[in-house]
Amino acid sequence: MAGGWARDGAVQDQIDDTVSDAVAAARAHMPKGESAEYCDICGEDIPEKRRAALPGVRTCVTCQAVRDKARAVGGINRRGSKDSQLR
């Protein structure tokens, strides 16, 4: 059920688009190719099990966690706030 000028199903379409965008972004950032034995950032060994689980991995777990945290900032807000819609 949509309200106002929105058609029925518009909210679900926004949810579907948000999920599709997140999946596409995750796939774009997935490593490809041969895994590195040493982290490209800090030079530490990358465990063999990590290299087997993620083909093409280039960073250790610690450095990847820092990169993921930095990437998580921002994003697209398709919902907007009601305050901005009322002005």
Side-chain angles (χ1 to χ4, degrees), residues 2 4 8 10-11 15 17 19 22-23 26 33 37-38 42 46-47 51 60-61 65 67-68 72-73 75 79 83:
D8 287 342
V11 173
I15 294 169
D17 288 342
V19 170
V23 169
E37 290 187 36
Y38 303 99
C42 69
I46 298 175
R51 289 182 299 184
C60 66
V61 174
R67 291 175 74 185
D68 290 345
V73 176
R79 290 176 265 167
D83 291 340

Side-chain angles (χ1 to χ4, degrees), residues 25-26 28-32 36 38-47 50 54-72:
H29 290 101
M30 292 209 40
K32 298 173 185 81
Y38 303 99
C39 179
D40 287 349
I41 297 172
C42 69
E44 292 291 321
D45 290 345
I46 298 175
R50 176 170 170 75
L54 294 169
V57 71
R58 310 294 303 170
T59 57
C60 66
V61 174
T62 305
C63 292
Q64 187 63 48
V66 171
R67 291 175 74 185
D68 290 345
K69 187 175 181 181
R71 190 180 298 142

Side-chain angles (χ1 to χ4, degrees), residues 8-24:
D8 287 342
V11 173
Q12 186 61 47
D13 289 344
Q14 286 182 333
I15 294 169
D16 293 343
D17 288 342
T18 301
V19 170
S20 295
D21 290 347
V23 169

